[in-house]
Amino acid sequence: MPVEHKRSFRLTLVGGVTEPGMFGVNLRFKTPMYGAMIGSFCGGIVAGLGGVAAHAMSAAPGLLGGLPVFLGGDIMNLVWMVAGAAVGIVVTFVATFILYKPETA
């Protein structure tokens, strides 16, 4: 993987800016996009079954900037959101790993 892609992933992880990862990698190679779709679906299921509700709107992107939105009311709201995010991350990794097929030259 080129160094430019690795830099965009670091930016996405810290700041939550998804465009470099989505347009630079996911749409070009397809498999990471399918993995992200599967992982997001599974994480959303967990958060939805936990009854997660956002108590505010946030302009801060990313996991760290967006988590305070789920504070308020019961602490389990935040716990279920973190669980949903963790499931989404793990399932995305596993799905992408399973779906990956090396390019043939």
Side-chain angles (χ1 to χ4, degrees):
M1 179 179 293
V3 175
E4 300 85 34
H5 291 177
K6 292 178 183 177
R7 287 185 188 139
S8 70
F9 287 136
R10 288 186 210 129
L11 176 67
T12 301
L13 181 65
V14 174
V17 179
T18 58
E19 286 82 3
M22 183 161 50
F23 293 112
V25 177
N26 287 356
L27 292 178
R28 204 167 100 204
F29 295 116
K30 305 284 191 268
T31 302
M33 184 63 133
Y34 299 144
M37 290 166 42
I38 294 167
S40 296
F41 175 78
C42 293
I45 291 287
V46 170
L49 290 176
V52 173
H55 296 284
M57 295 298 290
S58 173
L63 190 60
L64 297 177
L67 281 180
V69 169
F70 301 100
L71 290 172
D74 189 10
I75 191 67
M76 289 308 292
N77 191 53
L78 180 64
V79 170
W80 277 106
M81 186 59 226
V82 170
V87 166
I89 291 167
V90 170
V91 171
T92 297
F93 175 79
V94 171
T96 304
F97 187 77
I98 290 171
L99 294 172
Y100 176 74
K101 292 179 179 53
E103 293 181 17
T104 56

